[in-house]
Amino acid sequence: MTVDVRPTLWVSLLTVSLAYGLLGWQLSAQNILWSVGALIGICASTIALMWGGGLMGRMMRIGPRGVITMLIFSLSLTLAASAPTAFVEVLILVLTQLFARLEFQTAGFSRVVTLVILLSISSTAFSGGWLVGMYFFPSNPLWLS
């Protein structure tokens, strides 16, 4: 197995760290439970995106599981209408994770190494953004509206 480290790999890591740092900064104005919940959600969504590809594909099929697809789409549409800033933030997080995962896979990294790197980068950037928001440059608690 040969690993090809490209400049786009560093760009994808930078976008992931910026997106999660922004989320941590924005959640620093909220209650600490939101930040802890978001950190757990970060880990869960990263693991789901890494190893849940087959499961996600099966859930999106037409049939009895189509209800889950409609539920996901209706929840995302409701979030987009009620809190467009939060919707864009979630969309940026998912897309940067997918971009980074794709770059790591094309570079030749295994799934486990990719998962460890993405989890460490995202949780470190989230924590750093939260610390910046708490102690240096506070965020606005009304950013969701």
Side-chain angles (χ1 to χ4, degrees), residues 29-97:
Q30 306 298 327
N31 192 351
I32 188 73
L33 293 177
W34 284 104
S35 298
V36 170
L39 190 59
I40 291 170
I42 286 168
C43 295
S45 66
T46 302
I47 291 170
L49 285 174
M50 291 297 295
W51 278 302
L55 177 66
M56 297 299 250
R58 286 191 301 270
M59 281 182 9
M60 295 297 178
R61 288 188 188 148
I62 302 296
R65 295 182 194 142
V67 173
I68 295 173
T69 305
M70 288 187 288
L71 178 67
I72 290 170
F73 287 144
S74 66
L75 285 175
S76 62
L77 184 63
T78 303
L79 182 63
S82 62
T85 307
F87 176 73
V88 169
E89 182 71 30
V90 168
L91 188 67
I92 288 171
L93 292 173
V94 169
L95 291 178
T96 56
Q97 280 282 3

Side-chain angles (χ1 to χ4, degrees), residues 4-14 99 103:
D4 179 28
V5 180
R6 304 174 189 167
T8 56
L9 186 65
W10 296 107
V11 171
S12 67
L13 285 178
L14 180 68
F99 174 56
E103 285 294 324

